[in-house]
Amino acid sequence: MTEPTAQHERLLIVDFGSQVTQLIARRVRESGVFCEVVPYNKAQAALEKPLKAVILSGGPSSVTEEGSPSITEKLFALGVPVLGICYGQQLMCNMLGGKVESGHHREFGRAEIALKKASRLFSGIGDIGHSEPVWMSHGDRVTAIPDGFEIIAASTGAPFAAIADEGRNFYGVQFHPEVAHTPQGARMLRNFTHAIAGFTGDWTMASFRTEMIAKIRAQVGKAKVICGLSGGVDSSVAAVLIHEAIGEQLTCVFVDTGLLRLNEADEVVSLFRNHYNIPLIHVDAGDEFLGALAGVAEPERKRKIIGGKFVEIFDREAGKIEDAQFLAQGTLYPDVIESIGGSASVIKSHHNVGGLPEHMKLKLVEPLRDLFKDEVRVLGVELGLPPAFVGRHPFPGPGLGIRIPGEVTPQAVAVLQQADAIYLEEIRAAGLYDKIWQAFAVLLPVKTVGVMGDARTYENVCALRAVTSTDGMTADFFEFPWEVLGRAATRIINEVRGVNRVVYDVTSKPPGTIEWE
């Protein structure tokens, strides 16, 4: 983890395996508090650094089982406020002399808690007796609380739904305040960070920008930096930030894979060369990528080919830049968390996690590695990037290569680019683009017979997908007005030769899945 340049007030989140731990960090960051996430088995060193509070996350384990995840007892002697969430509450109670049991009434989903005692944790939420909706997800539950704790809220299935030791500033909640299904959850977390732990909220993108520019200058000195520019939000924001810090010392290498959205390569080149005047090497490598993919249908092999070809071409072009000593990447904090947890190599198999080949001997500059995606967008606007560019939907590294199940051919790419462009045009025209987290078209390897005019056709099926999400970890399909879908489908069939049927994908995206393919 890269420390911020200034000594911001710091909160530590200890991760016990919850699939929504990152949401805790996002909620905390939204209130201006710098925090970092560490897995429970690597928390010892993090606890030795200066910090003002600790949050213990949920997790799938049971504290009643031998060998379940735990933490050093020294945590509770640090004198800092501690909030335990779900498993974190159970672990806290178990370690401090309370009792946790399995086999009791389970709660999964929406529940109501009744406030039992006034507490700073629930300040501004309601008086004693107030009923508040929350989101539960637990099989075990606390059956006895440690000495010094009191019940501050209860539910039908969890008599100790929220507990507090106000003297030591220890708090525990059985529900999940970090998820959107707990409407007042963000306020509860802010009460913990600001009212209880005393954070002032000094983490802003304006301060981050100033601090990171100074840090980049100190790290790089007079050396040259190469930035791998994909055209996506992350690498673009990183490039503009680094250019603001060191100017002409930065050269961007934009590898056009030929698998980008329609006209995207021209937009990227125009923005960085004409608007920002950033030195840019544009490599039109579409023929190389399509040649390497010829005859390949297996999705994972396509990912590996695209990733390997990108590294090969980038390596070739970067080698032409004399005296370059640094490589800039748009690594984000979720990438850092996943790498620590060991899942990045599985989920992001096409990515070049950890930098380019060793023989390049380049040191990394990763100015965004402390940020979440939404923070990067805010920083992009702060840096003057066009809001429409910063707000673009996520686009996977392999591009359209994984949105064409089966073999990727030049004809298939051209058809999909046109269909995808029409789909996004209609979404924007309807004012829906910013309400959707990600929307795209997929060219299915399925052909259907149809009649268009007086001629029989045998052409491809195009699938349209749009999802809502807050973090990209889970997603649900977007409920389109039918007239918008109808207009998009009609235009695609009429304007794109090669498609005679359009379907809309209404599946959800469960945790841990990768790009639809």
Side-chain angles (χ1 to χ4, degrees):
M1 177 69 183
T2 303
E3 293 294 334
T5 304
Q7 292 303 308
H8 289 279
E9 301 169 321
R10 176 171 163 269
L11 181 143
L12 182 69
I13 299 171
V14 181
D15 181 19
F16 291 97
S18 169
Q19 61 189 12
V20 292
T21 296
Q22 289 189 31
L23 286 183
I24 304 173
R26 286 168 58 87
R27 298 291 175 264
V28 169
R29 294 275 189 93
E30 285 167 2
S31 63
V33 173
F34 178 77
C35 64
E36 62 176 300
V37 179
V38 296
Y40 71 92
N41 56 352
K42 297 183 179 180
Q44 179 73 48
L47 289 170
E48 294 174 359
K49 300 176 184 178
L51 53 85
K52 292 192 68 168
V54 175
I55 294 178
L56 308 178
S57 86
S61 302
S62 170
V63 298
T64 63
E65 297 175 356
E66 186 175 350
S68 59
S70 189
I71 195 169
T72 174
E73 293 183 354
K74 293 179 181 179
L75 163 65
F76 303 106
L78 292 177
V80 300
V82 180
L83 171 64
I85 295 174
C86 198
Y87 181 87
Q89 182 211 43
Q90 297 164 8
L91 179 64
M92 180 191 299
C93 287
N94 196 54
M95 294 182 68
L96 294 177
K99 189 174 183 181
V100 179
E101 296 182 5
S102 301
H104 285 275
H105 177 71
R106 302 188 306 168
E107 283 185 300
F108 294 96
R110 192 178 186 278
E112 296 281 336
I113 60 170
L115 304 189
K116 298 294 185 182
K117 189 177 188 301
S119 170
R120 287 176 293 171
L121 190 66
F122 296 138
S123 176
I125 292 174
D127 299 324
I128 295 174
H130 170 75
S131 181
E132 182 66 30
V134 298
W135 191 260
M136 293 282 189
S137 181
H138 66 97
D140 297 354
R141 78 177 186 190
V142 175
T143 55
I145 55 179
D147 291 341
F149 281 82
E150 296 180 290
I151 300 171
I152 57 175
S155 72
T156 302
F160 303 104
I163 59 175
D165 181 334
E166 302 278 0
R168 290 185 290 178
N169 286 328
F170 293 165
Y171 298 82
V173 294
Q174 186 60 75
F175 54 89
H176 288 271
E178 68 271 28
V179 302
H181 299 86
T182 301
Q184 293 286 353
R187 183 163 196 164
M188 296 173 193
L189 289 171
R190 183 180 176 87
N191 284 341
F192 176 72
T193 56
H194 289 65
I196 295 169
F199 283 91
T200 59
D202 64 349
W203 173 254
T204 67
M205 283 303 100
S207 65
F208 176 87
R209 173 186 181 182
T210 301
E211 295 159 13
M212 189 51 63
I213 286 172
K215 183 171 184 176
I216 292 168
R217 287 171 178 165
Q219 179 186 7
V220 170
K222 299 297 183 181
K224 292 182 180 179
V225 179
I226 303 170
C227 178
L229 187 65
S230 70
V233 174
D234 305 337
S235 64
S236 297
V237 171
V240 173
L241 179 63
I242 294 170
H243 184 255
E244 186 167 307
I246 61 174
E248 298 295 308
Q249 293 169 239
L250 171 70
T251 298
C252 291
V253 176
F254 173 43
V255 179
D256 180 356
T257 65
L259 302 171
L260 303 176
R261 288 170 286 208
L262 188 66
N263 300 324
E264 185 168 21
D266 292 339
E267 293 171 3
V268 171
V269 172
S270 175
L271 179 66
F272 282 86
R273 277 189 181 158
N274 302 336
H275 182 75
Y276 282 103
N277 198 29
I278 296 176
L280 175 68
I281 297 173
H282 175 207
V283 187
D284 186 355
D287 290 343
E288 288 189 62
F289 279 88
L290 289 170
L293 291 169
V296 180
E298 199 276 315
E300 190 61 18
R301 191 177 166 209
K302 287 194 293 184
R303 286 175 173 268
K304 296 291 187 182
I305 288 172
I306 294 168
K309 179 60 67 174
F310 181 91
V311 171
E312 175 192 326
I313 295 172
F314 187 95
D315 188 3
R316 183 179 71 208
E317 297 301 323
K320 300 175 183 177
I321 303 173
E322 296 182 0
D323 302 324
Q325 297 180 29
F326 291 88
L327 167 69
Q329 294 189 155
T331 306
L332 303 190
Y333 193 40
D335 301 324
V336 176
I337 296 172
E338 288 169 352
S339 296
I340 292 173
S343 62
S345 61
V346 176
I347 297 173
K348 298 187 174 181
S349 55
H350 60 277
H351 280 250
N352 177 42
V353 178
L356 289 172
E358 272 188 45
H359 68 267
M360 292 190 73
K361 305 298 182 185
L362 296 175
K363 293 169 280 188
L364 286 176
V365 180
E366 298 178 308
L368 309 182
R369 65 182 282 118
D370 287 324
L371 304 184
F372 287 97
K373 188 78 170 189
D374 52 343
E375 293 174 315
V376 173
R377 295 190 194 280
V378 174
L379 177 60
V381 173
E382 177 79 23
L383 289 166
L385 278 161
F389 184 91
V390 173
R392 287 194 308 175
H393 293 172
F395 191 66
L400 301 183
I402 57 169
R403 293 179 180 172
I404 302 174
E407 184 181 3
V408 180
T409 65
Q411 296 78 12
V413 171
V415 168
L416 182 54
Q417 284 178 329
Q418 294 174 60
D420 189 69
I422 290 171
Y423 182 37
L424 295 180
E425 279 178 18
E426 290 299 329
I427 289 173
R428 287 192 172 95
L432 300 175
Y433 190 85
D434 292 336
K435 297 180 181 179
I436 298 170
W437 185 77
Q438 186 181 47
F440 56 89
V442 176
L443 190 65
L444 299 180
V446 176
K447 289 190 174 183
T448 62
V449 176
V451 176
M452 300 178 72
D454 296 322
R456 186 175 295 277
T457 64
Y458 184 59
E459 295 177 327
N460 288 88
V461 177
C462 177
L464 305 181
R465 178 138 169 85
V467 296
T468 58
S469 180
T470 56
D471 55 10
M473 297 171 65
T474 61
D476 202 359
F477 68 91
F478 180 73
E479 295 187 21
F480 266 111
W482 285 113
E483 60 270 19
V484 178
L485 274 181
R487 284 196 299 270
T490 299
R491 283 193 59 196
I492 289 171
I493 291 172
N494 287 339
E495 299 176 31
V496 181
R497 185 175 295 275
V499 175
N500 69 357
R501 190 176 302 276
V502 176
V503 297
Y504 183 56
D505 176 13
V506 294
T507 56
S508 298
K509 177 185 175 185
T513 58
I514 56 177
E515 192 67 43
W516 194 97
E517 58 184 31

